[in-house]
Amino acid sequence: MRRTGHHRQFARQGGGGGLKGLVLKLSVAVIVLLICTVSLLFLSANTTSSKSNYRSEINIEELWGSADSGGWRPSSAPRSHWPPPPTESNGYLRVRCNGGLNQQRSAICNAVLAARIMNATLVLPELDANSFWHDDSGFHGIYDVEHFIKTLRYDVRIVESIPEIHKNGKKKKIKAAQLRPPRDGPVSWYTSVALEKMKEHGAIYLTPFSHRLAEEIDNPEYQRLRCRVNYHALRFKPHIMKLSQSIVDKLRAQGHFMSIHLRFEMDMLAFAGCLDIFTPNEQKILSKYRKENFADKTLIYKERRAIGKCPLTPEEVGLILHALGFDNSTRIYLAAGELFGGDRFMKPFRALFPRLDNHSTVESSDELVENTRGLAGSAVDYMVCLLSDIFMPTYDGPSNFANNLLGHRLYYGFRTTIRPDRKALAPIFIDRENGRQAGFEEAVRQVMLNTNFGGPHKRVSPESFYTNSWPECFCQITPDNPANKCPPNDVLDILNNQLEREAANNSKLTISAAER
């Protein structure tokens, strides 16, 4: 009896506490539910925003036009106080840009920025007599020097060579102290080690100068200067521009055309370690090239292929385009060196897309032969790819050509690009090779739907600044964030007035000193 009574008493005593506990639990549950609801709404909004440039379906006609800009437009003009370069600099900066055309292009952008950082006078960059192209045409042979200097007059002082100085009644040339910059060197290295040497010797010579200044710099004005160099100041010589435009006009006379950078070449295949699809003799050639040019490393083809580290074969490129809905009437311009492995790799591609061209087949004049040797040929391919309706790189990993073009087309008005996700596509191609072809094209389309077709998107490592300069080099006319507002159209006039005022002040100081 006591035990039963005791139990009822305990229940009565705990009844109030139980009700309070239940209310407390319900309150906590409601709060948790609210938090989850808000989080889901926030996540949904973010997902919608981040996927705004992805498509629910692929419409070929839409791809021939530009990607959705989202209200953004290119702008690399300064948006904050940007004084003109002082009359007196800390010394002269010489650089030697090594590598191919586009590696050199990035190095030139970095050289201009380094000169601005150090308040140095930039000597026209030297272009390495490239070991691959065997081309010693130099800056004067590829770029419009007058345009380069004039375009950057608000940013840095540029001279074609270090001038002679008069000392003790004699002419003497300043000898530049040679330095090897650290790879991806921070701004602090240039404002300390490099600047100290410059002040000591009057000039420094940085060599080699490829990837020698960090790409990610927490100063949007510095990044915009890089864009001004890359997309405004670096203009190819008139004959290269004229020839490129002639090729584009002939291609476009028959409608839209696509350009493809087919990176199925000996150097890239050797670098990637993708040898097994070649004959024993071809494998020996690739192995020898790899041993002579790249670090010794054991690379297993099946493993490399499975994670998308192998360049797409010409046939795989054709299969992707066919799955997207392009047919055999599509006109394609191929930007490529000599394809490795002979014509047997091109036959399946040509069977799907017979309207293939390169600069030699479009324009077979003596002028083309004369002006497409070495780096100039790469420059022509670059311009045709830039101006094409669609651009497709087949290996944009360490390919400077493809990466720079992706960035330039983004800046040039969000022009459509097709960037195959090799890692996601690899198992689909492997299944097809193993006889499992059912649903192949649909699987390819689903992968491609999750890629960006050239619209603005967040830059995520390892994507380079030269591949995607959004948002630093873009602006909005009606921005949600005031920091993204487009600068006034007369920003160049403002900078010009600053230069004129400084020149006038210097003139007054000179006259005043003479009067004294």
Side-chain angles (χ1 to χ4, degrees), residues 52-53 67-72 410 414 452 454-458 468 470 474:
S52 61
N53 292 301
D68 183 6
S69 69
W72 293 86
L410 192 76
F414 303 104
N452 183 286
H457 60 282
K458 186 178 180 182
N468 179 12
W470 185 87
F474 295 82

Side-chain angles (χ1 to χ4, degrees), residues 168-464:
N168 300 326
K170 295 181 180 179
K171 285 185 178 180
K172 184 181 179 183
K173 199 151 191 172
I174 300 173
K175 187 176 180 181
Q178 186 169 319
L179 287 173
R180 185 184 181 92
R183 188 174 177 86
D184 299 320
V187 170
S188 58
W189 185 85
Y190 289 88
T191 57
S192 57
V193 177
L195 185 57
E196 184 180 338
K197 280 285 183 185
M198 180 179 285
K199 289 180 175 178
E200 180 184 348
H201 296 273
I204 57 172
Y205 181 38
L206 304 183
T207 179
F209 198 73
S210 172
H211 307 294
R212 299 293 159 168
L213 178 59
E215 284 191 14
E216 294 300 331
I217 296 176
D218 191 22
N219 183 329
E221 292 298 2
Y222 283 172
Q223 300 293 58
R224 283 191 272 273
L225 174 54
R226 277 173 160 155
C227 290
R228 290 200 289 282
V229 181
N230 207 6
Y231 307 133
H232 296 278
L234 280 175
R235 187 168 71 187
F236 294 121
K237 289 184 74 68
H239 71 274
I240 293 174
M241 300 293 280
K242 179 185 173 184
L243 185 56
S244 304
Q245 189 62 58
S246 174
I247 291 172
V248 169
D249 289 344
K250 288 181 180 179
L251 289 166
R252 192 160 284 138
Q254 299 180 43
H256 295 300
F257 79 96
M258 173 194 303
S259 62
I260 296 178
H261 186 224
L262 198 55
R263 201 67 170 93
F264 200 71
E265 299 153 333
M266 180 169 65
D267 62 328
M268 191 52 67
L269 290 163
F271 170 81
C274 301
L275 315 184
D276 289 25
I277 59 175
F278 296 100
T279 66
N281 186 52
E282 289 168 343
Q283 289 184 36
K284 285 181 182 177
I285 294 170
L286 290 172
S287 297
K288 182 174 182 290
Y289 188 93
R290 177 171 178 80
K291 186 175 181 180
E292 291 173 351
N293 293 278
F294 304 113
D296 186 26
K297 188 178 180 181
T298 302
L299 300 176
I300 301 171
Y301 170 73
K302 286 186 178 180
E303 294 178 359
R304 302 285 289 172
R305 175 83 191 288
I307 58 174
K309 293 295 184 182
C310 290
L312 294 171
T313 67
E315 181 181 17
E316 289 170 343
V317 174
L319 290 171
I320 292 169
L321 293 176
H322 192 266
L324 290 176
F326 293 97
D327 60 29
N328 61 5
S329 68
T330 305
R331 191 158 198 187
I332 296 173
Y333 179 88
L334 289 179
E338 184 178 352
L339 299 185
F340 190 76
D343 194 52
R344 74 180 187 277
F345 285 100
M346 279 300 296
K347 282 181 179 177
F349 185 23
R350 195 177 289 111
L352 289 168
F353 296 95
R355 300 185 70 191
L356 298 178
D357 280 299
N358 57 32
H359 57 233
S360 298
T361 59
V362 178
E363 179 73 66
S364 56
S365 65
D366 292 337
E367 181 186 3
L368 179 124
V369 175
E370 179 65 28
N371 293 310
T372 54
R373 294 192 180 99
L375 292 175
S378 184
V380 169
D381 276 347
Y382 184 95
M383 285 307 303
V384 176
C385 290
L386 175 63
L387 298 172
S388 64
D389 300 297
I390 297 172
F391 172 63
M392 180 181 182
T394 63
Y395 195 70
D396 57 339
S399 171
N400 292 295
F401 183 95
N403 286 328
N404 279 21
L405 264 167
L406 289 167
H408 205 154
R409 287 178 65 87
L410 192 76
Y411 190 85
Y412 198 60
F414 303 104
R415 300 174 77 83
T416 299
T417 58
I418 297 175
R419 297 176 69 177
D421 183 341
R422 295 189 309 280
K423 185 175 182 180
L425 289 167
I428 301 171
F429 283 122
I430 291 170
D431 281 348
R432 182 180 182 277
E433 289 162 13
N434 292 330
R436 295 186 289 273
Q437 297 193 29
F440 168 78
E441 291 202 341
E442 179 57 28
V444 170
R445 278 194 294 274
Q446 287 304 312
V447 168
M448 296 306 296
L449 279 170
N450 291 323
T451 63
N452 183 286
F453 283 90
H457 60 282
K458 186 178 180 182
R459 183 170 66 251
V460 179
S461 180
E463 191 174 37
S464 162

